[in-house]
Amino acid sequence: MINGGLNTKEVRLKAIEMFAYWEGVVNASTLAKLFKVTISNITKSLTEYRDLYPNSLKYNKSLKQYEPTSSFTCHYIDETWQEYVAFLRINSQVYKSDYWGALAVDFGPLHTGNVDPKIVRVVTQAINKKLSVKATYYSLTNPNGIERIIHPIALADSGVRWHCRAYDEYRSEFRDFHLGRITAAELNEPSKVQYEQDEAWMTMIKLKIAPQPALTESQKQVIMMDKGKGDSFIVEVRAAMAEYYIQYHLIDKEIRESNPLVRPLYLENYDEVKAWLFG
């Protein structure tokens, strides 16, 4: 079901625009399936949208669908690919079963890894209720596991796994804990730790990423085609998550004189941000 359900008029009008802008068609029956309501209810929303923006949509009688006119403009969506992908993800089941078909969209495998829902529930409750957590955590330095008292402040997606950002009493510092490496967890005492105390979490840094200098100009242009125009691009991330972004996107930290295609992108401003990176 579409994000937001039927709570607001804006949600329905936004869905109408999403279909019109990205797919060139607004079909009442498709919207009815997304919202799980009758077509008559959706027709009212389409009428309302056309009353608000009279020259935006035209009705194609032969195909029984609305289509954007040449003067169509967006009022509710931001027209970004990221927004549309989020829309597809939320409504993927309807797209696969009732709309495009089962093979028409593939988001790839989930990357949540071996995460126990019981563990995550403890962590999320700790964040919400401001409690510490007694957890058994496994790491390469402690492969047999060790009991830790952590103070969760946030959840973070590194691209390949989910982390809990927390203050660690064992090491007296804020650290990242892979949720999949926690095998036991229970709510503990109230925590006075605030996320504002975590400098690496609060600090936003800019990573300047560019094609390896040893590449040919044509190769650089190809690499930059999906990154934007120019000779480099900027990504703003939390300092605590910077290393994960670099690892996930296979970005080199140094210039590679030989075999630049092994890792065609490198971190151009490494010296500026290295204090926030691992090792």
Side-chain angles (χ1 to χ4, degrees):
M1 189 171 181
I2 188 171
N3 186 28
L6 303 176
N7 294 332
T8 65
K9 173 184 73 175
E10 185 176 342
V11 171
R12 291 196 186 190
L13 300 185
K14 183 175 182 178
I16 290 170
E17 273 192 3
M18 194 75 75
F19 281 109
Y21 180 78
W22 286 102
E23 301 171 24
V25 171
V26 183
N27 186 290
S29 62
T30 300
L31 283 167
K33 289 176 182 177
L34 283 177
F35 286 106
K36 297 183 179 179
V37 297
T38 63
I39 291 179
S40 61
N41 282 329
I42 291 301
T43 301
K44 292 178 183 178
S45 296
L46 283 163
T47 300
E48 186 171 20
Y49 187 90
R50 296 183 76 196
D51 287 342
L52 288 168
Y53 313 106
N55 299 315
S56 291
L57 300 175
K58 61 182 178 182
Y59 187 66
N60 186 322
K61 292 183 179 179
S62 61
L63 297 178
K64 297 181 179 181
Q65 63 191 24
Y66 290 91
E67 299 168 355
T69 66
S70 58
S71 59
F72 172 83
T73 56
C74 295
H75 303 274
Y76 298 94
I77 66 173
D78 60 22
E79 304 175 31
T80 64
W81 172 241
Q82 291 81 0
E83 182 187 44
Y84 183 55
V85 169
F87 178 80
L88 288 177
R89 281 186 182 275
I90 292 168
N91 302 291
S92 62
Q93 197 55 49
V94 173
Y95 268 83
K96 290 180 180 181
S97 61
D98 300 312
Y99 193 23
W100 285 358
L103 302 180
V105 58
D106 183 0
F107 295 106
L110 295 175
H111 65 264
T112 52
N114 183 32
V115 175
D116 186 342
K118 294 178 182 177
I119 300 297
V120 182
R121 288 178 62 203
V122 172
V123 172
T124 54
Q125 288 179 44
I127 294 172
N128 186 51
K129 299 177 181 179
K130 294 181 170 48
L131 299 172
S132 61
V133 170
K134 183 183 294 185
T136 301
Y137 189 72
Y138 289 74
S139 66
L140 295 179
T141 53
N142 292 288
N144 295 319
I146 185 174
E147 188 175 275
R148 316 269 276 261
I149 301 296
I150 63 174
H151 300 248
I153 61 166
L155 295 176
D157 181 4
S158 70
V160 294
R161 62 181 63 88
W162 278 89
H163 299 249
C164 166
R165 186 71 180 174
Y167 180 79
D168 178 23
E169 289 191 9
Y170 178 70
R171 296 189 181 276
S172 300
E173 63 183 7
F174 285 95
R175 297 178 69 87
D176 299 308
F177 294 88
H178 298 183
L179 290 176
R181 294 182 181 178
I182 301 176
T183 59
E186 60 182 65
L187 295 173
N188 200 44
E189 299 176 353
S191 174
K192 294 183 180 180
V193 174
Q194 303 290 327
Y195 59 78
E196 291 90 350
Q197 297 171 266
D198 186 354
E199 184 181 6
W201 186 255
M202 295 298 295
T203 302
M204 301 297 295
I205 62 174
K206 293 181 179 180
L207 306 178
K208 186 177 182 181
I209 302 163
Q212 290 281 359
L215 295 170
T216 67
E217 289 304 313
S218 296
Q219 288 173 325
K220 292 177 184 178
Q221 290 177 14
V222 171
I223 289 170
M224 287 300 296
M225 285 179 70
D226 63 341
K227 305 297 181 182
K229 297 179 180 179
D231 300 324
S232 63
F233 62 97
I234 301 291
V235 175
E236 189 171 16
V237 297
R238 294 190 184 279
M241 302 303 293
E243 180 73 32
Y244 300 121
Y245 181 89
I246 292 169
Q247 291 180 6
Y248 180 68
H249 292 279
L250 301 178
I251 298 166
D252 219 326
K253 293 179 182 177
E254 57 187 22
I255 292 176
R256 189 180 290 269
E257 297 292 350
S258 60
N259 299 322
L261 286 175
V262 172
R263 287 200 174 187
L265 291 171
Y266 83 106
L267 185 59
E268 195 171 53
N269 65 333
Y270 171 75
D271 289 337
E272 296 177 20
V273 301
K274 64 181 180 181
W276 302 107
L277 304 179
F278 300 165

